[in-house]
Amino acid sequence: MGMVTDPGYEPVIGLEIHAQLRTRTKLFCGCLADFGAAPNTRLCPVCMGLPGALPTLNRQAVALAVRAALGLGCRIGARSVFTRKHYFYPDLPKGYQITQGDFPLGTDGTVHLAAGMDSSVLERVIRVERLHLEEDTGKSVHHAEYGLVDLNRAGIPLIEIVTLPDLRSSQEASDCLGEIRNVLMRLEVCDGNMEEGSLRCDVNISVRKSSGELGSRVEVKNLNSFRFIRRAIGYEQARQAEILRSGGQVQPETRGWNEREGKTYTLRSKVSSNDYRMVDEPDLLPLDLSRDWVRKQQAQLPELPYQTRKRYASLGLSRDMVITLHSQKWLMDLFDEVMELGLEPSGIANFLATEVLRDAGQGAPIRAWQVGELMGLVAEGTISGKQMKELYGWVKSTDESPRQVAVERGLRCVADESTVFLVCERVVTSNAQMVHKYRQGKKGLMGYFMAEVMKQTQGSADPRVATAILQRMLEEEQV
Ligand code: ADP
Ligand code: MG
Ligand code: ZN
């Protein structure tokens, strides 16, 4: 990036995240809320902003927003109020956006970051200031000589999640977005697809001399990848520190990110909230949620990612393994299901996180009972670990039994010891120098002899049998 960060200045970061809710229709009308339809084919008088059209609140959007708020540990306001936020933009057909202002759906939530979860350091908790429900805008498409507007997105339900400025590094900011994405996907509230814009992130950043008062902040809009977030924060951190160091003041403004140049640039100076002329939305009643209904939603929440992490860590899995396993629902479900078969956790975790994850698309390429059989075949010594991977390749995406396929294809460890014995003998006699070194104390060479035996048996020797034979030959100077 070219700029060096001044260690004397600490970054202070808060996120504003917009997530599209997985509803069938838009927030205030019956138009489909799908992605990728031909431009301006998901429109009606309401979402086109025609005069006199009246909004009707989408019940499913409210349920999903409440679920998200509860999943992020927010308090749910007994009454939340819809507000008109006025500004002019070509992709904002009404000239205002329906959102929530002083009375949002949720307040005072938390995001748990996985940092240090297997050490004595406690989980880092980032505070969520608010979560509210609002409508998305349309999309402007810019060409060299003209611009086009697609209103399909106008009126799609969004939640906006605002964190307090608790984040202290670019990595932490990107982890926080990752965790929020994880929570929303776990709750099946948002599909989390950042490329399609289902999840978008604005980053607020200021710098200060270590733990002094907060400095004035800049908002960088539309950072729609984890990498952009880290790079943009790094750039701003250096830019702002440089301004302060040379005695200047950071201008509060809204900036954009130019990925090609690796720089932020000024979009506009900061608009204060009273420039939006916020007024209560006259066409919608305040949203009053019954306590009982909210409690019912709370009771229906699944296990949350931070809870899964705790549970997995207690099984003795490494931090990285825990994070890999819990980041996709199908992977987590598969692991949990296999665990019910009473097998050893770390072996299953390794197999799932490497072999299975490698060629998986959106879902599990194998069933729990099949994994159970594969593991069982190895544990009982019928096949080697290498053969197990081969067998996995044959049974994945089928309903076939690994045990049966192993029999049909004649896959098993060389059971009769005499074959393994002959191979071991060949390996030992043809490696006199290595044998000499081994006997002089280079016991680590056992790995070399085993590898040779495995190579010459195409990996089908039972490793326990081969090791025993080799040891006998090498230690007892039988050859
Ligand atoms: P606005 O409505 O203008 O966007 P908010 O008060 O709602 O302003 O703050 C928006 C975001 O800015 C929040 O994520 C908050 O954490 C963050 N923020 C506020 N003050 C600072 C600061 N001094 N440095 C960095 N981020 C900040
Ligand atoms: Mg803002
Ligand atoms: Zn519509």
Side-chain angles (χ1 to χ4, degrees):
M1 155 191 358
M3 285 170 107
V4 179
T5 306
D6 186 333
Y9 288 95
E10 173 191 60
V12 173
I13 304 153
L15 304 180
E16 292 170 89
I17 293 164
H18 289 93
Q20 287 183 347
L21 296 174
R22 288 177 52 176
T23 53
R24 201 178 64 82
T25 55
K26 293 187 180 180
L27 186 53
F28 299 120
C29 62
C31 294
L32 288 180
D34 52 354
F35 179 83
N40 298 308
T41 57
R42 299 290 186 259
L43 295 182
C44 75
V46 174
C47 58
M48 273 195 292
L50 298 189
L54 290 173
T56 315
L57 184 58
N58 181 334
R59 195 176 270 275
Q60 195 200 359
V62 174
L64 293 179
V66 167
R67 197 170 150 80
L70 291 170
L72 289 167
C74 289
R75 236 176 325 122
I76 307 294
R79 159 167 289 196
S80 55
V81 179
F82 290 101
T83 309
R84 290 185 177 182
K85 182 179 179 180
H86 295 86
Y87 58 102
F88 180 79
Y89 230 67
D91 51 23
L92 188 77
K94 293 194 292 287
Y96 60 84
Q97 177 193 30
I98 304 179
T99 177
Q100 298 181 318
D102 294 336
F103 301 96
L105 197 70
T107 51
D108 302 317
T110 43
V111 185
H112 299 255
L113 300 190
M117 109 202 162
D118 58 349
S119 73
S120 57
V121 189
L122 288 172
E123 273 201 332
R124 188 114 157 76
V125 174
I126 304 303
R127 291 170 298 165
V128 170
E129 185 185 317
R130 55 184 284 142
L131 181 152
H132 67 253
L133 191 54
E134 64 184 27
E135 58 180 340
D136 209 342
T137 61
K139 228 187 283 185
S140 307
V141 187
H142 304 285
H143 293 273
E145 282 156 16
Y146 58 95
L148 296 172
V149 177
D150 176 8
L151 293 181
N152 283 353
R153 204 179 67 178
I156 286 186
L158 291 181
I159 46 173
E160 176 171 344
I161 300 161
V162 182
T163 77
L164 282 161
D166 286 347
L167 300 155
R168 293 292 177 269
S169 70
S170 56
Q171 185 60 47
E172 214 169 62
S174 107
D175 288 350
C176 183
L177 175 64
E179 181 64 9
I180 288 174
R181 178 171 181 268
N182 208 347
V183 169
L184 299 180
M185 288 172 72
R186 180 73 64 87
L187 296 170
E188 297 179 321
V189 152
C190 171
D191 67 24
N193 190 329
M194 295 176 73
E195 275 123 70
E196 292 181 0
S198 307
L199 190 72
R200 317 196 286 266
C201 185
D202 301 339
V203 173
N204 293 271
I205 167 168
S206 61
V207 299
R208 61 175 177 181
K209 271 281 184 217
S210 46
S211 64
E213 255 176 60
L214 294 189
S216 68
R217 76 185 145 105
V218 154
E219 180 173 353
V220 187
K221 283 276 183 202
N222 286 322
L223 293 171
N224 295 331
S225 91
F226 293 101
R227 195 176 111 85
F228 294 178
I229 285 174
R230 289 191 297 270
R231 292 192 72 202
I233 292 173
Y235 178 83
E236 271 303 306
Q237 194 178 334
R239 188 186 69 88
Q240 295 181 19
E242 179 60 39
I243 291 172
L244 297 183
R245 207 182 307 110
S246 58
Q249 280 184 325
V250 174
Q251 293 309 310
E253 57 185 4
T254 303
R255 296 175 75 90
W257 170 245
N258 183 327
E259 170 65 12
R260 201 164 33 80
E261 291 180 17
K263 287 179 178 172
T264 64
Y265 58 94
T266 302
L267 282 171
R268 53 182 177 269
S269 65
K270 194 80 193 151
V271 190
S272 81
S273 54
N274 47 18
D275 291 331
Y276 289 121
R277 303 277 177 258
M278 307 282 255
V279 293
D280 287 357
E281 167 59 58
D283 293 335
L284 288 165
L285 288 169
L287 182 59
D288 292 322
L289 298 170
S290 97
R291 290 288 101 186
D292 277 353
W293 182 79
V294 172
R295 260 194 296 274
K296 224 173 83 193
Q297 304 301 307
Q298 174 88 53
Q300 286 171 359
L301 291 184
E303 181 182 68
L304 292 160
Y306 78 94
Q307 296 167 329
T308 311
R309 289 198 294 271
K310 277 193 188 130
R311 185 162 61 81
Y312 284 178
S314 74
L315 297 174
L317 302 180
S318 73
R319 178 179 186 279
D320 286 351
M321 186 59 80
V322 169
I323 291 183
T324 305
L325 283 183
H326 95 314
S327 59
Q328 297 193 58
K329 191 170 182 312
W330 69 261
L331 188 58
M332 191 185 113
D333 289 344
L334 181 59
F335 176 75
D336 287 345
E337 251 184 277
V338 181
M339 281 301 294
E340 277 173 26
L341 304 173
L343 299 160
E344 194 268 322
S346 65
I348 303 164
N350 268 319
F351 174 63
L352 296 185
T354 54
E355 295 305 311
V356 178
L357 189 56
R358 183 179 304 140
D359 55 14
Q362 291 300 304
I366 190 162
R367 310 280 181 89
W369 65 269
Q370 292 171 311
V371 176
E373 280 195 15
L374 286 171
M375 296 287 160
L377 288 164
V378 179
E380 72 201 26
T382 306
I383 60 175
S384 67
K386 193 178 162 211
Q387 288 173 316
M388 189 270 277
K389 289 174 189 170
E390 199 175 1
L391 183 54
Y392 164 66
W394 295 334
V395 299
K396 72 180 176 197
S397 312
T398 75
D399 281 330
E400 292 184 63
S401 149
R403 198 169 277 284
Q404 223 162 7
V405 172
V407 172
E408 282 162 16
R409 302 226 185 178
L411 192 68
R412 53 182 180 84
C413 289
V414 174
D416 71 288
E417 274 194 46
S418 60
T419 312
V420 182
F421 188 92
L422 288 176
V423 174
C424 287
E425 205 172 44
R426 192 159 66 225
V427 167
V428 170
T429 44
S430 59
N431 283 287
Q433 262 194 326
M434 295 291 196
V435 173
H436 183 64
K437 283 185 189 159
Y438 181 93
R439 287 176 180 157
Q440 282 186 321
K442 290 219 162 195
K443 301 293 178 205
L445 284 171
M446 178 55 91
Y448 169 81
F449 294 115
M450 275 297 289
E452 281 302 305
V453 172
M454 284 303 174
K455 205 171 5 175
Q456 296 191 25
T457 57
Q458 274 94 48
S460 67
D462 181 334
R464 281 169 305 182
V465 173
T467 309
I469 294 172
L470 280 172
Q471 239 154 18
R472 231 182 303 136
M473 289 179 176
L474 293 164
E475 308 278 339
E476 296 169 11
E477 313 207 357
Q478 264 189 348
V479 184

